[in-house]
Amino acid sequence: AGGCSKIETSHPVIVDKTIPVITNIEHGEYTRYKNKISGIQITTRDSESGITMLQAAIVPDTTQDSINNAHWNNIELTIDPGDTITIEDSVFYYNPNDHTETMIHGNAYYLAVMTQNRSGLWSLPNHTGEITVDTSYPQLIYNTGQDEVVYNETDDFHISYTIVEDVSTSVDVEFV
């Protein structure tokens, strides 16, 4: 009676009062899908407690109202303190709960991103530049002119064409 217990120490306790930081978001200028944006690369870090969650949402503009009303895609992560994580080639849906909900062809959208650390603190929202929805196919227009006669002795001939968009293309010719 009246004795004291032995003094023990706990494991270290980290008090994290800093928010995570999104250091970079790389993206293309276009998406060919109406319901998702893909090929995004996001780099984030938290120096004290690490990252546990990433949220991303496709929004029509970068106003606080759009960010507050967005359909957020949640990705759970386990990133150690001080480590920088780069999330590559991610796919984010316009509405992760309904993949049939679509964006409008020709309109520009942004991908808003936030990360959460182990203390439950969220980063400030960061966002991409404009990403335009382009679901149209490139057009190959043959230029009309005089017919070209190709003889069996030669493999050389020229077909004149114009491509509406800047894309790689090839033309296969079948002799009949």
Side-chain angles (χ1 to χ4, degrees):
C4 294
S5 65
K6 180 179 171 188
I7 297 174
E8 296 284 335
T9 57
S10 71
H11 294 287
V13 176
I14 296 173
V15 178
D16 186 352
K17 293 185 177 183
T18 61
I19 62 174
V21 177
I22 298 168
T23 56
N24 190 35
I25 305 174
E26 292 184 24
H27 63 91
E29 294 180 36
Y30 297 93
T31 181
R32 65 177 186 225
Y33 306 104
K34 285 187 174 182
N35 67 339
K36 63 185 174 183
I37 293 176
S38 61
I40 304 292
Q41 181 174 314
I42 301 163
T43 305
T44 184
R45 72 174 291 148
D46 184 84
S47 300
E48 295 174 333
S49 66
I51 304 291
T52 59
M53 175 79 72
L54 179 138
Q55 285 189 329
I58 299 170
V59 292
D61 55 59
T62 58
T63 63
Q64 193 63 45
D65 189 48
S66 286
I67 291 171
N68 290 343
N69 294 310
H71 300 291
W72 290 94
N73 294 260
N74 296 318
I75 300 173
E76 291 186 25
L77 305 168
T78 305
I79 310 305
D80 292 330
D83 287 352
T84 298
I85 180 69
T86 300
I87 300 158
E88 297 183 24
D89 296 327
S90 295
V91 175
F92 301 103
Y93 285 90
Y94 184 60
N95 183 343
N97 300 316
D98 180 4
H99 294 186
T100 62
E101 190 174 337
T102 61
M103 299 175 280
I104 299 170
H105 170 80
N107 283 7
Y109 294 84
Y110 302 83
L111 184 71
V113 179
M114 296 189 309
T115 55
Q116 184 183 46
N117 65 17
R118 284 193 177 115
S119 295
L121 300 173
W122 284 96
S123 69
L124 297 173
N126 200 338
H127 58 81
T128 63
E130 287 187 352
I131 301 172
T132 302
V133 178
D134 182 2
T135 58
S136 62
Y137 293 97
Q139 294 180 8
L140 180 65
I141 301 170
Y142 292 99
N143 300 333
T144 57
Q146 292 184 338
D147 292 341
E148 184 171 345
V149 177
V150 177
Y151 297 100
N152 287 339
E153 298 90 40
T154 180
D155 290 333
D156 297 335
F157 63 95
H158 182 273
I159 298 174
S160 179
Y161 61 91
T162 304
I163 299 176
V164 176
E165 290 186 26
D166 183 23
V167 295
S168 299
T169 187
S170 65
V171 177
D172 293 328
V173 177
E174 182 180 332
F175 294 101
V176 287

